[in-house]
Amino acid sequence: MNKIGSIIYKIEELVRKALYKIFRESVIKSSLGSCGKNVHIAEKCDIKGNQNIYIGNDVAIGPRALLWTTGANIFIKDKVIIGPGLSVITGNHRTNIIGKYMADVTAAEKEKDDDQDVIIEKDVWIGANVTILKGVTVAEGCVIGGGAVVTKNTEPYGIYVGVPAKYCKSRFSEEEILEHRKRLNIRK
C-alpha cells in the first residue's frame, strides 16, 4: 500500500503543479504592470497592487513571497533569483494622527513619504525569508542573506546580512567587477 500511496501522491503533486503553472501563474503575470519572459512566480505568493509591480526577464520568485504595494511601485529587474518567503512592502501607516486609531487611517490621509518604490536591480540573489522595506534599492549584483531586513539602499555587488541588513563584503574585487561586466557586456 505504501508504494501505491507514494505513486498517487506524486501524480497528485504533478497535476497540482501543472494546474498552477497553466492557470494561476499566468493570471498573476497578466495582472502585473509588466512581466518579462522566463518569469516564474512560485505557489502560495500573496500579491497586492499587481498593476504597480514590474518584473523583467529571467526572474524566479520563490514560494510564499509577499509583494504588497498601494501608492508605490515594485520593480524587479532582469536575472533576479528570489528564495522562499520574501516580503516587499512599499508603504507605512500614519501613526501620528491624534484622536484616530491607526487602523482607521485611510489611504487619502497618508503622507507623501508613506509609500515609496522598491527597486531590485539586475543580477540579484535574495535568500529565504528576507524583508525589503519601502524606498529601498537593492543594487545590481547584490546578495541578500537569508532572514535579512533591508531598510536602506545597498551598494553594487555587495553581500548584505542581518537585521537590519549590513554590508558584509563584496562579491568581487574592483578588477573582478570590471571583468564581470565586460564578460556580460554591461556598460557602466
Side-chain angles (χ1 to χ4, degrees), residues 157-182:
Y157 298 98
I159 298 173
Y160 290 79
V161 298
V163 179
K166 300 236 185 276
Y167 175 83
C168 179
K169 65 180 187 174
S170 181
R171 285 178 54 200
F172 304 120
S173 69
E174 287 298 319
E175 297 80 26
E176 290 171 329
I177 290 172
L178 293 173
E179 182 62 23
H180 178 70
R181 287 180 169 161
K182 179 179 172 186

PDB file of all heavy atoms in Angstrom, residues 157-182:
ATOM      1  N   TYR A 157      27.111  44.806  -6.046  1.00  0.00           N
ATOM      2  CA  TYR A 157      27.911  43.596  -5.817  1.00  0.00           C
ATOM      3  C   TYR A 157      28.242  43.348  -4.347  1.00  0.00           C
ATOM      4  O   TYR A 157      29.127  42.574  -4.027  1.00  0.00           O
ATOM      5  CB  TYR A 157      29.180  43.600  -6.680  1.00  0.00           C
ATOM      6  CG  TYR A 157      28.829  43.605  -8.140  1.00  0.00           C
ATOM      7  CD1 TYR A 157      28.815  44.789  -8.872  1.00  0.00           C
ATOM      8  CD2 TYR A 157      28.447  42.435  -8.781  1.00  0.00           C
ATOM      9  CE1 TYR A 157      28.443  44.802 -10.206  1.00  0.00           C
ATOM     10  CE2 TYR A 157      28.083  42.436 -10.113  1.00  0.00           C
ATOM     11  CZ  TYR A 157      28.075  43.617 -10.819  1.00  0.00           C
ATOM     12  OH  TYR A 157      27.706  43.623 -12.137  1.00  0.00           O
ATOM     13  N   GLY A 158      27.485  43.972  -3.443  1.00  0.00           N
ATOM     14  CA  GLY A 158      27.702  43.745  -2.024  1.00  0.00           C
ATOM     15  C   GLY A 158      26.935  42.543  -1.521  1.00  0.00           C
ATOM     16  O   GLY A 158      25.917  42.145  -2.095  1.00  0.00           O
ATOM     17  N   ILE A 159      27.421  41.977  -0.443  1.00  0.00           N
ATOM     18  CA  ILE A 159      26.719  40.906   0.259  1.00  0.00           C
ATOM     19  C   ILE A 159      26.242  41.506   1.581  1.00  0.00           C
ATOM     20  O   ILE A 159      27.039  42.064   2.341  1.00  0.00           O
ATOM     21  CB  ILE A 159      27.634  39.697   0.494  1.00  0.00           C
ATOM     22  CG1 ILE A 159      28.096  39.131  -0.864  1.00  0.00           C
ATOM     23  CG2 ILE A 159      26.927  38.629   1.334  1.00  0.00           C
ATOM     24  CD1 ILE A 159      29.131  38.031  -0.760  1.00  0.00           C
ATOM     25  N   TYR A 160      24.938  41.397   1.827  1.00  0.00           N
ATOM     26  CA  TYR A 160      24.311  42.017   2.995  1.00  0.00           C
ATOM     27  C   TYR A 160      23.617  40.946   3.830  1.00  0.00           C
ATOM     28  O   TYR A 160      22.922  40.084   3.292  1.00  0.00           O
ATOM     29  CB  TYR A 160      23.294  43.074   2.562  1.00  0.00           C
ATOM     30  CG  TYR A 160      23.946  44.283   1.962  1.00  0.00           C
ATOM     31  CD1 TYR A 160      24.394  44.291   0.653  1.00  0.00           C
ATOM     32  CD2 TYR A 160      24.148  45.432   2.719  1.00  0.00           C
ATOM     33  CE1 TYR A 160      25.024  45.401   0.107  1.00  0.00           C
ATOM     34  CE2 TYR A 160      24.776  46.548   2.183  1.00  0.00           C
ATOM     35  CZ  TYR A 160      25.209  46.519   0.877  1.00  0.00           C
ATOM     36  OH  TYR A 160      25.838  47.623   0.348  1.00  0.00           O
ATOM     37  N   VAL A 161      23.799  41.031   5.148  1.00  0.00           N
ATOM     38  CA  VAL A 161      23.194  40.064   6.053  1.00  0.00           C
ATOM     39  C   VAL A 161      22.719  40.783   7.317  1.00  0.00           C
ATOM     40  O   VAL A 161      23.194  41.867   7.638  1.00  0.00           O
ATOM     41  CB  VAL A 161      24.184  38.934   6.442  1.00  0.00           C
ATOM     42  CG1 VAL A 161      24.607  38.141   5.224  1.00  0.00           C
ATOM     43  CG2 VAL A 161      25.402  39.493   7.160  1.00  0.00           C
ATOM     44  N   GLY A 162      21.788  40.153   8.031  1.00  0.00           N
ATOM     45  CA  GLY A 162      21.415  40.631   9.351  1.00  0.00           C
ATOM     46  C   GLY A 162      20.158  41.459   9.428  1.00  0.00           C
ATOM     47  O   GLY A 162      19.482  41.720   8.442  1.00  0.00           O
ATOM     48  N   VAL A 163      19.850  41.872  10.667  1.00  0.00           N
ATOM     49  CA  VAL A 163      18.671  42.675  10.975  1.00  0.00           C
ATOM     50  C   VAL A 163      19.120  43.866  11.804  1.00  0.00           C
ATOM     51  O   VAL A 163      19.525  43.685  12.945  1.00  0.00           O
ATOM     52  CB  VAL A 163      17.632  41.848  11.761  1.00  0.00           C
ATOM     53  CG1 VAL A 163      16.418  42.688  12.114  1.00  0.00           C
ATOM     54  CG2 VAL A 163      17.226  40.609  10.977  1.00  0.00           C
ATOM     55  N   PRO A 164      19.101  45.065  11.270  1.00  0.00           N
ATOM     56  CA  PRO A 164      18.891  45.376   9.856  1.00  0.00           C
ATOM     57  C   PRO A 164      20.083  44.903   9.023  1.00  0.00           C
ATOM     58  O   PRO A 164      21.179  44.699   9.558  1.00  0.00           O
ATOM     59  CB  PRO A 164      18.777  46.903   9.846  1.00  0.00           C
ATOM     60  CG  PRO A 164      19.574  47.363  11.015  1.00  0.00           C
ATOM     61  CD  PRO A 164      19.420  46.280  12.050  1.00  0.00           C
ATOM     62  N   ALA A 165      19.856  44.748   7.717  1.00  0.00           N
ATOM     63  CA  ALA A 165      20.902  44.243   6.825  1.00  0.00           C
ATOM     64  C   ALA A 165      22.097  45.192   6.819  1.00  0.00           C
ATOM     65  O   ALA A 165      21.935  46.405   6.718  1.00  0.00           O
ATOM     66  CB  ALA A 165      20.352  44.077   5.416  1.00  0.00           C
ATOM     67  N   LYS A 166      23.259  44.603   6.943  1.00  0.00           N
ATOM     68  CA  LYS A 166      24.507  45.368   6.920  1.00  0.00           C
ATOM     69  C   LYS A 166      25.437  44.766   5.875  1.00  0.00           C
ATOM     70  O   LYS A 166      25.418  43.561   5.628  1.00  0.00           O
ATOM     71  CB  LYS A 166      25.194  45.320   8.278  1.00  0.00           C
ATOM     72  CG  LYS A 166      24.371  45.897   9.405  1.00  0.00           C
ATOM     73  CD  LYS A 166      25.109  46.985  10.116  1.00  0.00           C
ATOM     74  CE  LYS A 166      24.370  47.494  11.317  1.00  0.00           C
ATOM     75  NZ  LYS A 166      23.387  48.467  11.091  1.00  0.00           N
ATOM     76  N   TYR A 167      26.288  45.632   5.309  1.00  0.00           N
ATOM     77  CA  TYR A 167      27.277  45.197   4.329  1.00  0.00           C
ATOM     78  C   TYR A 167      28.246  44.226   5.002  1.00  0.00           C
ATOM     79  O   TYR A 167      28.759  44.496   6.083  1.00  0.00           O
ATOM     80  CB  TYR A 167      28.031  46.420   3.793  1.00  0.00           C
ATOM     81  CG  TYR A 167      29.166  46.085   2.862  1.00  0.00           C
ATOM     82  CD1 TYR A 167      28.922  45.836   1.523  1.00  0.00           C
ATOM     83  CD2 TYR A 167      30.470  46.023   3.325  1.00  0.00           C
ATOM     84  CE1 TYR A 167      29.956  45.531   0.657  1.00  0.00           C
ATOM     85  CE2 TYR A 167      31.510  45.721   2.465  1.00  0.00           C
ATOM     86  CZ  TYR A 167      31.253  45.473   1.138  1.00  0.00           C
ATOM     87  OH  TYR A 167      32.283  45.163   0.297  1.00  0.00           O
ATOM     88  N   CYS A 168      28.492  43.096   4.363  1.00  0.00           N
ATOM     89  CA  CYS A 168      29.402  42.079   4.888  1.00  0.00           C
ATOM     90  C   CYS A 168      30.712  42.105   4.101  1.00  0.00           C
ATOM     91  O   CYS A 168      31.785  42.207   4.678  1.00  0.00           O
ATOM     92  CB  CYS A 168      28.715  40.724   4.780  1.00  0.00           C
ATOM     93  SG  CYS A 168      29.666  39.331   5.347  1.00  0.00           S
ATOM     94  N   LYS A 169      30.590  42.019   2.775  1.00  0.00           N
ATOM     95  CA  LYS A 169      31.754  42.074   1.893  1.00  0.00           C
ATOM     96  C   LYS A 169      31.259  42.179   0.453  1.00  0.00           C
ATOM     97  O   LYS A 169      30.068  42.086   0.195  1.00  0.00           O
ATOM     98  CB  LYS A 169      32.653  40.853   2.065  1.00  0.00           C
ATOM     99  CG  LYS A 169      32.018  39.537   1.645  1.00  0.00           C
ATOM    100  CD  LYS A 169      32.985  38.390   1.842  1.00  0.00           C
ATOM    101  CE  LYS A 169      32.409  37.101   1.257  1.00  0.00           C
ATOM    102  NZ  LYS A 169      33.370  36.003   1.304  1.00  0.00           N
ATOM    103  N   SER A 170      32.203  42.354  -0.465  1.00  0.00           N
ATOM    104  CA  SER A 170      31.858  42.424  -1.884  1.00  0.00           C
ATOM    105  C   SER A 170      31.971  41.038  -2.512  1.00  0.00           C
ATOM    106  O   SER A 170      32.794  40.220  -2.075  1.00  0.00           O
ATOM    107  CB  SER A 170      32.791  43.395  -2.614  1.00  0.00           C
ATOM    108  OG  SER A 170      32.426  43.472  -3.980  1.00  0.00           O
ATOM    109  N   ARG A 171      31.159  40.804  -3.513  1.00  0.00           N
ATOM    110  CA  ARG A 171      31.263  39.549  -4.249  1.00  0.00           C
ATOM    111  C   ARG A 171      32.582  39.477  -5.009  1.00  0.00           C
ATOM    112  O   ARG A 171      33.138  38.398  -5.184  1.00  0.00           O
ATOM    113  CB  ARG A 171      30.130  39.429  -5.274  1.00  0.00           C
ATOM    114  CG  ARG A 171      28.790  39.113  -4.693  1.00  0.00           C
ATOM    115  CD  ARG A 171      27.710  39.067  -5.764  1.00  0.00           C
ATOM    116  NE  ARG A 171      28.031  38.156  -6.845  1.00  0.00           N
ATOM    117  CZ  ARG A 171      27.457  38.226  -8.055  1.00  0.00           C
ATOM    118  NH1 ARG A 171      26.554  39.145  -8.320  1.00  0.00           N
ATOM    119  NH2 ARG A 171      27.788  37.369  -8.998  1.00  0.00           N
ATOM    120  N   PHE A 172      33.050  40.622  -5.489  1.00  0.00           N
ATOM    121  CA  PHE A 172      34.237  40.690  -6.340  1.00  0.00           C
ATOM    122  C   PHE A 172      35.121  41.860  -5.927  1.00  0.00           C
ATOM    123  O   PHE A 172      34.638  42.824  -5.344  1.00  0.00           O
ATOM    124  CB  PHE A 172      33.837  40.932  -7.809  1.00  0.00           C
ATOM    125  CG  PHE A 172      32.883  39.931  -8.401  1.00  0.00           C
ATOM    126  CD1 PHE A 172      31.643  40.349  -8.878  1.00  0.00           C
ATOM    127  CD2 PHE A 172      33.209  38.590  -8.518  1.00  0.00           C
ATOM    128  CE1 PHE A 172      30.752  39.451  -9.456  1.00  0.00           C
ATOM    129  CE2 PHE A 172      32.333  37.691  -9.093  1.00  0.00           C
ATOM    130  CZ  PHE A 172      31.105  38.118  -9.568  1.00  0.00           C
ATOM    131  N   SER A 173      36.381  41.803  -6.332  1.00  0.00           N
ATOM    132  CA  SER A 173      37.260  42.970  -6.225  1.00  0.00           C
ATOM    133  C   SER A 173      36.863  43.953  -7.328  1.00  0.00           C
ATOM    134  O   SER A 173      36.102  43.598  -8.242  1.00  0.00           O
ATOM    135  CB  SER A 173      38.725  42.550  -6.396  1.00  0.00           C
ATOM    136  OG  SER A 173      38.955  42.140  -7.742  1.00  0.00           O
ATOM    137  N   GLU A 174      37.377  45.162  -7.271  1.00  0.00           N
ATOM    138  CA  GLU A 174      37.081  46.169  -8.318  1.00  0.00           C
ATOM    139  C   GLU A 174      37.470  45.643  -9.700  1.00  0.00           C
ATOM    140  O   GLU A 174      36.725  45.814 -10.670  1.00  0.00           O
ATOM    141  CB  GLU A 174      37.797  47.488  -8.020  1.00  0.00           C
ATOM    142  CG  GLU A 174      37.196  48.269  -6.865  1.00  0.00           C
ATOM    143  CD  GLU A 174      35.755  48.688  -7.117  1.00  0.00           C
ATOM    144  OE1 GLU A 174      35.410  49.112  -8.241  1.00  0.00           O
ATOM    145  OE2 GLU A 174      34.957  48.587  -6.171  1.00  0.00           O
ATOM    146  N   GLU A 175      38.634  45.004  -9.803  1.00  0.00           N
ATOM    147  CA  GLU A 175      39.091  44.456 -11.085  1.00  0.00           C
ATOM    148  C   GLU A 175      38.154  43.357 -11.571  1.00  0.00           C
ATOM    149  O   GLU A 175      37.832  43.263 -12.752  1.00  0.00           O
ATOM    150  CB  GLU A 175      40.527  43.905 -10.970  1.00  0.00           C
ATOM    151  CG  GLU A 175      41.582  44.938 -10.628  1.00  0.00           C
ATOM    152  CD  GLU A 175      41.632  45.278  -9.132  1.00  0.00           C
ATOM    153  OE1 GLU A 175      41.244  44.442  -8.266  1.00  0.00           O
ATOM    154  OE2 GLU A 175      42.018  46.417  -8.815  1.00  0.00           O
ATOM    155  N   GLU A 176      37.703  42.508 -10.622  1.00  0.00           N
ATOM    156  CA  GLU A 176      36.795  41.422 -10.984  1.00  0.00           C
ATOM    157  C   GLU A 176      35.436  41.964 -11.428  1.00  0.00           C
ATOM    158  O   GLU A 176      34.810  41.402 -12.334  1.00  0.00           O
ATOM    159  CB  GLU A 176      36.631  40.455  -9.818  1.00  0.00           C
ATOM    160  CG  GLU A 176      37.877  39.631  -9.532  1.00  0.00           C
ATOM    161  CD  GLU A 176      37.795  38.838  -8.238  1.00  0.00           C
ATOM    162  OE1 GLU A 176      37.123  39.294  -7.285  1.00  0.00           O
ATOM    163  OE2 GLU A 176      38.421  37.762  -8.191  1.00  0.00           O
ATOM    164  N   ILE A 177      34.980  43.042 -10.813  1.00  0.00           N
ATOM    165  CA  ILE A 177      33.717  43.660 -11.238  1.00  0.00           C
ATOM    166  C   ILE A 177      33.831  44.140 -12.671  1.00  0.00           C
ATOM    167  O   ILE A 177      32.939  43.908 -13.494  1.00  0.00           O
ATOM    168  CB  ILE A 177      33.309  44.817 -10.298  1.00  0.00           C
ATOM    169  CG1 ILE A 177      32.876  44.264  -8.933  1.00  0.00           C
ATOM    170  CG2 ILE A 177      32.165  45.644 -10.907  1.00  0.00           C
ATOM    171  CD1 ILE A 177      32.639  45.315  -7.879  1.00  0.00           C
ATOM    172  N   LEU A 178      34.935  44.803 -13.004  1.00  0.00           N
ATOM    173  CA  LEU A 178      35.148  45.269 -14.379  1.00  0.00           C
ATOM    174  C   LEU A 178      35.163  44.095 -15.353  1.00  0.00           C
ATOM    175  O   LEU A 178      34.539  44.152 -16.419  1.00  0.00           O
ATOM    176  CB  LEU A 178      36.443  46.071 -14.477  1.00  0.00           C
ATOM    177  CG  LEU A 178      36.454  47.413 -13.743  1.00  0.00           C
ATOM    178  CD1 LEU A 178      37.856  48.023 -13.770  1.00  0.00           C
ATOM    179  CD2 LEU A 178      35.434  48.364 -14.319  1.00  0.00           C
ATOM    180  N   GLU A 179      35.856  43.020 -15.005  1.00  0.00           N
ATOM    181  CA  GLU A 179      35.917  41.838 -15.860  1.00  0.00           C
ATOM    182  C   GLU A 179      34.544  41.176 -15.975  1.00  0.00           C
ATOM    183  O   GLU A 179      34.130  40.754 -17.056  1.00  0.00           O
ATOM    184  CB  GLU A 179      36.949  40.844 -15.326  1.00  0.00           C
ATOM    185  CG  GLU A 179      37.117  39.601 -16.170  1.00  0.00           C
ATOM    186  CD  GLU A 179      37.620  39.861 -17.590  1.00  0.00           C
ATOM    187  OE1 GLU A 179      38.265  40.909 -17.843  1.00  0.00           O
ATOM    188  OE2 GLU A 179      37.356  39.008 -18.469  1.00  0.00           O
ATOM    189  N   HIS A 180      33.827  41.087 -14.870  1.00  0.00           N
ATOM    190  CA  HIS A 180      32.481  40.509 -14.848  1.00  0.00           C
ATOM    191  C   HIS A 180      31.567  41.282 -15.803  1.00  0.00           C
ATOM    192  O   HIS A 180      30.879  40.693 -16.643  1.00  0.00           O
ATOM    193  CB  HIS A 180      31.956  40.553 -13.408  1.00  0.00           C
ATOM    194  CG  HIS A 180      30.570  40.028 -13.222  1.00  0.00           C
ATOM    195  ND1 HIS A 180      30.256  38.688 -13.334  1.00  0.00           N
ATOM    196  CD2 HIS A 180      29.402  40.657 -12.898  1.00  0.00           C
ATOM    197  CE1 HIS A 180      28.958  38.517 -13.103  1.00  0.00           C
ATOM    198  NE2 HIS A 180      28.428  39.691 -12.832  1.00  0.00           N
ATOM    199  N   ARG A 181      31.562  42.599 -15.670  1.00  0.00           N
ATOM    200  CA  ARG A 181      30.728  43.441 -16.530  1.00  0.00           C
ATOM    201  C   ARG A 181      31.146  43.328 -17.991  1.00  0.00           C
ATOM    202  O   ARG A 181      30.290  43.316 -18.882  1.00  0.00           O
ATOM    203  CB  ARG A 181      30.775  44.897 -16.061  1.00  0.00           C
ATOM    204  CG  ARG A 181      29.995  45.119 -14.785  1.00  0.00           C
ATOM    205  CD  ARG A 181      30.067  46.542 -14.346  1.00  0.00           C
ATOM    206  NE  ARG A 181      29.119  46.796 -13.272  1.00  0.00           N
ATOM    207  CZ  ARG A 181      29.203  47.817 -12.461  1.00  0.00           C
ATOM    208  NH1 ARG A 181      30.159  48.714 -12.599  1.00  0.00           N
ATOM    209  NH2 ARG A 181      28.306  47.977 -11.504  1.00  0.00           N
ATOM    210  N   LYS A 182      32.430  43.251 -18.226  1.00  0.00           N
ATOM    211  CA  LYS A 182      32.935  43.121 -19.603  1.00  0.00           C
ATOM    212  C   LYS A 182      32.438  41.815 -20.222  1.00  0.00           C
ATOM    213  O   LYS A 182      31.938  41.802 -21.349  1.00  0.00           O
ATOM    214  CB  LYS A 182      34.466  43.156 -19.591  1.00  0.00           C
ATOM    215  CG  LYS A 182      35.104  43.009 -20.938  1.00  0.00           C
ATOM    216  CD  LYS A 182      36.622  43.070 -20.817  1.00  0.00           C
ATOM    217  CE  LYS A 182      37.288  42.728 -22.121  1.00  0.00           C
ATOM    218  NZ  LYS A 182      38.742  42.660 -21.969  1.00  0.00           N
TER     219      LYS A 182
END
